Amino acid sequence: MSTRAPNPMRHGWRHEVAEGLRRSTAAGLGMFPLGIAFGLLVVQAGLPWWIAPALSVTTYAGSLELMIVGMMSAGTPLATIALTTFLVNFRHVFYAFSFPLRVVRSRIARAYSVYALTDESFAVTAASPRDWTGVRLITVQLAFQLYWLGGGLVGVAAGSLLPERIEGLEFALCALFITLTLDACRTRAQIPSLVLAGLSFAVATLVAPDAALLVGLLGFVAALVVRFVATGRRTAAVMVPGDGADGDGGATRGVASTEREDHA
C-alpha cells in the first residue's frame, strides 16, 4: 500500500484558478452591486471619488467602509472611527481559528490572505473546509476584492453622472446587516446570538441612551465571549464520558462534533 500523501495541486494551477473563480461567483454577484452602492454613497456624501478605491485597498471591509463614509461626512473624531473599526472587525479574530491559512505556503501570499480575510471568504471556506489549495484560496480572495473594488469604481462613475441625489442609499448598510442576520437565523444555532444582540442594545438604550450603540456593541461582545466559553465547557463535558477505551468513544465524539457544528 502506498503511503504517499495526495498532491493537492495534481490538477495544475490553471484548474485551481478556475475552481477559485467558480467558488467566488455566487458571493461575488452580491458583492459587486453592494460595491456600486458604496461608490454612489461616497459621491453623494460629497467626498472625493478616490476615497472609494482608497478604502477598498487600505481598509477592505465592506460593512466598515460603508460606516466610515457616514462618519467621515459627519466629521466623526478619528478616535471614534478607530474604536468602531476595532469593534466591527473584532469578529475576524475568531475567523482565524478555522480559516485554512495553512495551505498558503508563500509568505507574501499568506500576508495577503490574512489581509483579505473577509466575511465572504470565511463563509466560502467554511462551507467546504477540506479541499483547499493555496492557489485556489488566494484566487477566491483576490476575486472578492476585485468584485468589491470594481463595483465601487462603477458606483463612483455612475454617481458623477446622476443629476440628483438618490435618497435612502445610506440604508444599504442596514439592508446588508438585516440580510446577514436573516440568513444566519435559518439555523436555530444562531438564534441565541440574535437574542443576545437584542438584549444588549435594549439594556444599552436604558443605561446609556446617549451612547447606546457603543455600549450595546461592548455588551454584545462580552455576551458572545461568555457564550463561547460556556459552549466550550459543555462540549468538553460531553466528550469526557467517551474519551476512554470503553467502546463508546465513537458515539461521544459524534455528539461533540454535532455540538461544534451547531455553534459554528
Side-chain angles (χ1 to χ4, degrees):
M1 177 182 293
S2 174
T3 58
R4 180 178 298 177
N7 180 11
M9 291 287 292
R10 59 186 180 279
H11 298 300
W13 67 269
R14 291 184 179 179
H15 171 82
E16 295 301 314
V17 170
E19 180 63 17
L21 291 175
R22 186 188 68 79
R23 296 193 182 194
S24 71
T25 302
L29 291 176
M31 293 181 68
F32 188 78
L34 192 58
I36 294 177
F38 168 64
L40 285 169
L41 190 61
V42 168
V43 174
Q44 294 194 359
L47 299 174
W49 70 269
W50 52 263
I51 290 292
L55 285 176
S56 298
V57 172
T58 59
T59 306
Y60 187 40
S63 57
L64 179 64
E65 291 177 49
L66 290 166
M67 293 182 65
I68 288 178
V69 169
M71 289 189 288
M72 290 177 68
S73 60
T76 304
L78 184 60
T80 302
I81 294 178
L83 180 59
T84 303
T85 300
F86 173 76
L87 291 175
V88 172
N89 282 348
F90 188 74
R91 66 189 185 282
H92 290 185
V93 173
F94 301 100
Y95 289 173
F97 293 142
S98 58
F99 191 70
L101 185 63
R102 63 187 180 282
V103 302
V104 183
R105 303 299 175 86
S106 166
R107 290 184 178 181
I108 296 177
R110 287 173 67 90
Y112 175 76
S113 185
V114 172
Y115 150 79
L117 176 51
T118 61
D119 296 331
E120 290 79 10
S121 57
F122 175 77
V124 170
T125 57
S128 59
R130 297 181 182 278
D131 58 346
W132 288 95
T133 65
V135 174
R136 187 179 300 183
L137 182 61
I138 294 299
T139 300
V140 168
Q141 292 184 281
L142 185 60
F144 281 156
Q145 188 166 17
L146 291 177
Y147 295 141
W148 179 256
L149 180 61
L153 291 174
V154 171
V156 167
S160 63
L161 298 176
L162 292 176
E164 297 182 359
R165 174 186 176 85
I166 300 177
E167 298 295 336
L169 191 61
E170 60 276 10
F171 190 72
L173 177 61
C174 297
L176 169 65
F177 281 111
I178 291 173
T179 301
L180 293 175
T181 301
L182 293 177
D183 191 53
C185 290
R186 289 180 178 180
T187 61
R188 290 183 300 172
Q190 297 303 326
I191 291 180
S193 295
L194 178 61
V195 174
L196 290 175
L199 289 176
S200 299
F201 185 73
V203 172
T205 303
L206 293 176
V207 301
D210 295 334
L213 183 58
L214 177 60
V215 175
L217 282 173
L218 292 173
F220 185 47
V221 170
L224 287 179
V225 171
V226 171
R227 186 191 174 206
F228 177 77
V229 173
T231 302
R233 289 181 177 177
R234 189 175 64 177
T235 301
V238 172
M239 292 181 67
V240 167
D243 200 34
D246 56 1
D248 192 35
T252 52
R253 283 193 294 272
V255 172
S257 176
T258 303
E259 291 284 329
R260 286 195 296 271
E261 290 174 0
D262 286 344
H263 295 85

